[in-house]
Each structure stands twice: as structure tokens, then as C-alpha cells.
Amino acid sequence: MSRGSMQGMQMKLLRKALALSVCASAIAFSGGATAGPIAAGDKVEVQNNVGSVFTPSPTSDSNGLYSNVTIYVAGTSQSVSAGMFVLDYREAGNPGSSWEQFLSFCLSPDVYLTPFDNPYTAFNLSSSPYSGSADRISEFWGRYRSLVINDMTAAAFQVGLWELAFEGGTNLASGSFRLLTTGSVFNTAQGWLSSLDGSGARATGLMVLVDNPGGTDRQDLLTQQVPEPGTLALLGIGFAGLALLRRRRTA
């Protein structure tokens, strides 16, 4: 094959890769039939379409990742389930859009998750009322979110978020929010909170979904939104093609 023919084939492959990456970006961020990452200002419907609100699909734990604990909040002790919620969202006002599963934790320990008060509005974590605790929450998520792999760590992570979001502190044994249950959940959550010294990596893409701004039953959901892996992979193909073309031209 001549050098000119090879260059022509390389250009065709490059154009195809770039076209695929552009197409993937359009699907991920256009708000079409396939739900893309949630951005600040978006309005979405939230539902639970997988049975238990704690049950991921697939999972090795048939009833999801959570533990029952007793907390002190709003002047009373309450028995609650603390863990990772597995819910579904789609674009609000567009019943033809598909449901997208997402993982989240709640930020209000004294409010029930259901019934869902749709639509929800997405805000950056740095928005009020979490602007004062956003940096600690980002560090907490960046350090320990990857350790949520069983009932105990899921509960510890949720309890830690409640402490940071509701009270803004790091001591589970005192204040307006406390964890009354002792044992591994308390010890793990307290250890994580005590380690927050500002030196840990901060998580990116943290969004708060608010169902009833200003209402007494406000239950905010914290989730992490990042570009979809498939989109990143196809974009990588396109960028790799550009790099190859530059090398060819230099040679």
C-alpha cells in the first residue's frame, strides 16, 4: 500500500473515531432518551424502581447496604436505617425519557425519604445551606466513599454525612446530632470524621437533589455525577487518533 493510501485510510479512521466521540457526547449531555449526568439547575423526577430503596442491582447483599441504628436528633432519639440508597431519576416533565439508576445518601437525618416530592432540583454541594460544610463533605467522600462495600461501612458513611451536613461538626457523641448506637458503625464513622484535617483528596461532581426547597419536609439527596465511562472511552479514541496524526505529520 502506498504512503498516500495509508494516510487516506488513517484519516478515514480518525474521522470515524471523532464522529463516534461527538455522538456519544450528544447522547450523554443532550437530555434525550438516555439520561445523562445531572447538572446544577436540572429538574428531575426521582423514584425507586428496584424494590428496596437500599438494594443495588446487581449486589451480593439481597436486601441492600444498610444497618439499623439509633440516633439523637431534634431533641429525641429515633431508630432509623442508615445506608446507601439506590434510586432512579429521569428528566422532569419528559415521561418519554428513560430511568437512570443512581446511588445516593440523604443529608437530613430527621426527615423520611419517601414519599418522593417530585420534581427535585439539582444544586452544587457548595450551595446553601451546605456551603460551610461542603469542603469537609468533599474530603469525607474523597477519602471514604470507596470503602462503602458492606452494611457496616454503608451505615458509617451515612452517619458521618449526617454529622457533617446537619451539625457541621465531627463528634458523634455530642451536639444536636448524635449516634447512640455503639460498636463498629460508631467507631468507624468517628474514626473517619476525626481524620478530616484538610489534607485529603476532594471528591468532584457532588450534587444535592432538593425535593422541597424551604419546606419542613425537605430531604436532600447527595450523589456524585461524573461523565459516563462509555463517553470517556470514545472521547479517548478520538484524542488518541489526533495524537497519532500529529506523530505521523512530525515524522
Side-chain angles (χ1 to χ4, degrees):
M1 183 181 291
S2 67
R3 181 176 180 180
S5 297
M6 289 184 65
Q7 289 178 336
M9 181 176 293
Q10 290 165 2
M11 287 300 296
K12 288 180 180 179
L13 290 173
L14 175 59
R15 291 192 189 100
K16 185 175 182 180
L18 289 174
L20 285 171
S21 65
V22 170
C23 179
S25 298
I27 291 173
F29 298 103
S30 67
T34 301
I38 300 170
D42 285 353
K43 291 187 180 297
V44 297
E45 289 182 64
V46 174
Q47 286 293 345
N48 169 45
N49 296 329
V50 295
S52 165
V53 294
F54 292 110
T55 306
S57 177
T59 179
S60 57
D61 189 334
S62 61
N63 69 347
L65 303 182
Y66 75 97
S67 293
N68 294 319
V69 298
T70 301
I71 61 175
Y72 173 89
V73 62
T76 62
S77 60
Q78 305 176 28
S79 295
V80 298
S81 296
M84 181 173 66
F85 295 110
V86 185
L87 303 171
D88 304 88
Y89 75 88
R90 68 180 179 184
E91 182 184 357
N94 184 7
S97 60
S98 62
W99 290 100
E100 184 83 8
Q101 191 175 89
F102 71 106
L103 305 177
S104 67
F105 297 85
C106 68
L107 296 178
S108 306
D110 57 340
V111 179
Y112 287 110
L113 174 66
T114 57
F116 299 103
D117 188 12
N118 285 304
Y120 285 65
T121 304
F123 294 90
N124 291 316
L125 177 61
S126 57
S127 302
S128 178
Y130 304 109
S131 54
S133 55
D135 189 66
R136 275 182 171 175
I137 292 175
S138 296
E139 183 182 3
F140 186 75
W141 191 291
R143 282 177 180 259
Y144 303 115
R145 169 62 182 85
S146 62
L147 300 183
V148 177
I149 57 175
N150 55 43
D151 289 344
M152 187 277 290
T153 55
F157 193 80
Q158 174 64 95
V159 167
L161 285 175
W162 282 337
E163 170 67 24
L164 293 169
F166 188 81
E167 188 165 59
T170 57
N171 189 342
L172 290 173
S174 65
S176 57
F177 172 81
R178 306 171 204 167
L179 177 60
L180 303 182
T181 299
T182 59
S184 56
V185 172
F186 183 101
N187 294 335
T188 299
Q190 186 57 67
W192 291 350
L193 289 169
S194 298
S195 74
L196 301 180
D197 57 4
S199 66
R202 272 49 167 192
T204 59
L206 294 180
M207 305 295 302
V208 180
L209 301 184
V210 178
D211 64 341
N212 189 13
T216 58
D217 61 342
R218 173 171 169 168
Q219 177 55 277
D220 297 342
L221 299 172
L222 181 63
T223 186
Q224 186 175 37
Q225 295 292 297
V226 296
E228 295 163 350
T231 302
L232 292 176
L234 288 172
L235 285 172
I237 293 173
F239 292 138
L242 286 172
L244 176 62
L245 181 60
R246 289 196 191 98
R247 287 198 296 269
R248 293 284 186 182
R249 285 178 174 174
T250 301

